[in-house]
Amino acid sequence: MAELTIRQAIQRGLEEALQNDPNVFIMGEDIGKYGGAYAVTSGFLEKYGPKRIKDTPISEATFIGAGVGAAAAGLRPVIEIMSISFSLVAFDQIVNMAANLRYMSGGQIKVPMVIRAPTGAGAQLAATHSQSFETWLAEVPGIKCVAPSTPADALGLLRSALSDGNTVIFAEPAQMYGVKGDVPDGRFTVPIGKASVQRSGGDVTLVSYGHGMRVLHSAAEDLAKRGIEAEVVDLRSLSPLDMDTIVASVHKTNRALTLDMARRTGGIMAEVAARLQEAASDWLDGPVARVGAEDVPWPYNRELEQEALPRVEDVLASLKKSYGI
Amino acid sequence: MQAWCFICFNGSVMPDTPHIHRSAAAASNPLAQEPLPKIGLSPEDLAQMYRTMVLSRTLDERIYQLNRGGKAAIFGSAQGHEAAQIGCIRGTDPSRDHYLIYYRQLTAMLALGTTPLELLLGFLAREGEPLSMARQFPLHGAHPRVDLFSFSNVVATQVPQAVGVALADRMRQEDRVTIVFFGDGAASQGDTHEGMNFAAIHKLPVVFFCENNRFAISVPLRKQMAVENISSRAAGYGFPGVTVDGTDMIAVYEAVSAAVARARAGQGPTLIEAMVYRLLPHTTDDDHTRYLTKEEIDLMHREGDPIPKAAKLLRDRGLLSAAEEQTVKAEAQRTVNEATEKAEAAPYPPVEEMYRHVYSNSSGPSGKGSQ
């Protein structure tokens, strides 16, 4: 067991892959001498050389499109997008191509690629630099989508992503690279498509992922002071979605709240809430409580941005409204 | 509106001003007069190229009929593009090179070894269709035998992907060239610019092959770009660009052979612009009489049909008698008839097929062909 940050855990996963799999290479903007916008690939160029650590021009559509081509041709590219907000100019290559090629070719073409991208608001980067498009990408069949909130999950999920036969979107909560946690020794993996119960409790199920987990844990502490034991569930995988874990928790608690740090409308947690209504309405003591970011473009002003983001008090108020607790 | 010469498709040339037509200028290709060994093609090569062109035209006409009969949903005809495609494929090495095609490439697909039956199974969306298992827009599929990549309906996506395929070859030190096809319409997409720039930076072994038929569906060149030739853009990326008469299979073959040799020698990409005419509307859903006059369409067929031109080339060299010309046509007709019968008799895929191949269940790096 070692204590690592999420950044260090991702670095460890990438370095293992670079050392053990000659087909792995990393491509993206400023990942070489600069070390990546969030310093994840710091020192990689010196260690692994320019053949495998490729700085690219500012051409997201092309370095992701080239990743699709290289993956189909037998390599395993790891693409770093500087912000998931910038993925939009490459959405065609991700959504129409990486996700569809296998199906459209009747199983002939595989695109085993990992697309890493920092995601989320909270750093005053404004509307075009604070998006959470993993929540859009989770809807697309043919690709998988994960978002770790702990160092152990970051490493375990990255290992799984790097041995998956499909394109995996690896959304890294941008404000959580420095979060520390224990990481087991040895080559453990975290399966894609399996949620994690991070805190056990019998009174209410709280579900989110990524940045949302910090809010949920704070809310659970507040609830505990009032004698309410919350079960805190981290999706970890947005696609495939593990409803079994969430439904099992609701069977125990009869109450559920979903929290989305992305905009409330149309996000992945809206899907979780809808599926809970389908699968567990008989078990719920009231409507699924839903909390999400305001449906506005991300403002630059710090106070406005914080106002748009969900907070602990929003979670508590929503529980009060749905369940009177 | 500015007048422009239809044949030259050039707004700077007035139709009533005496000038040498662009296509006619290109057509006076000195190579066409050279002895065969100097060109690098045998008499049998030329005959084979001609036969494939005729087969393509015959199949093309059949697919049109099937569409009009309500049996094939949609088709972008290759009529007029045959010489460009056959000349291009002949200049490459299908035993090792990669091909990222676009939607108007019936001739290229036949030249690469895809059979008329396979293509018709695709148009009719029947079980056993090898390109996509009846999932993909016709002609857009991959192929288990032929190194073909599946193509998107979003124009120009294949350009960055081709660059990635070439990058993979470079990283594995494999001696293979990637040929990526696109039209003049795709030349305006950002993906094309970005992809060419990326290939130039890494000097990748790519041949960018543009079939310039002078129309993006209905939009003429003069409304697509302010330069006369797409090939001139290559200079901006830092590699050579050439324009050739795409109705002359030998001219195209020569240009592609040189570009492939350059790529194999590690000298990087080349952009080839083959000037062709799209003899039919954009697709079976289009009606080009809405944006072309009858005179223009007639002129295009007279000036721009590559098949009579190829026949003349063979006749001039004593490689094709009138009787042989008829035999080639009859053979193509028979092949297409047989394939049509077989394709129409094939069943549709079962509904369960819809759920297959969404995800790969295997781990491990892989490429095309593996599950």
Side-chain angles (χ1 to χ4, degrees), chain B residues 105-176:
Chain B
Q105 303 226 252
L106 194 62
T107 320
M109 292 179 85
L110 290 170
L112 285 169
T114 315
T115 68
L117 174 59
E118 290 170 338
L119 297 174
L120 285 168
L121 287 168
F123 278 99
L124 301 178
R126 302 300 168 119
E127 189 170 11
E129 184 265 299
L131 294 112
S132 74
M133 310 301 161
R135 290 164 163 76
Q136 191 26 331
F137 204 98
L139 297 186
H140 286 48
H143 197 282
R145 287 196 319 277
V146 180
D147 199 330
L148 275 178
F149 210 80
S150 192
F151 175 67
S152 172
N153 295 78
V154 181
V155 166
T157 49
Q158 73 275 25
V159 178
Q161 290 164 2
V163 168
V165 171
L167 184 67
D169 284 338
R170 163 68 52 79
M171 291 180 73
R172 288 181 303 212
Q173 297 179 311
E174 288 184 17
D175 180 20
R176 305 170 78 176

Side-chain angles (χ1 to χ4, degrees), chain A residues 262-293:
Chain A
R263 285 183 290 276
R264 185 171 183 275
T265 299
I268 188 66
M269 303 314 294
E271 181 66 23
V272 172
R275 291 199 195 184
L276 268 179
Q277 311 279 18
E278 279 178 335
S281 58
D282 289 350
W283 295 82
L284 285 165
D285 287 348
V288 175
R290 288 188 59 209
V291 178

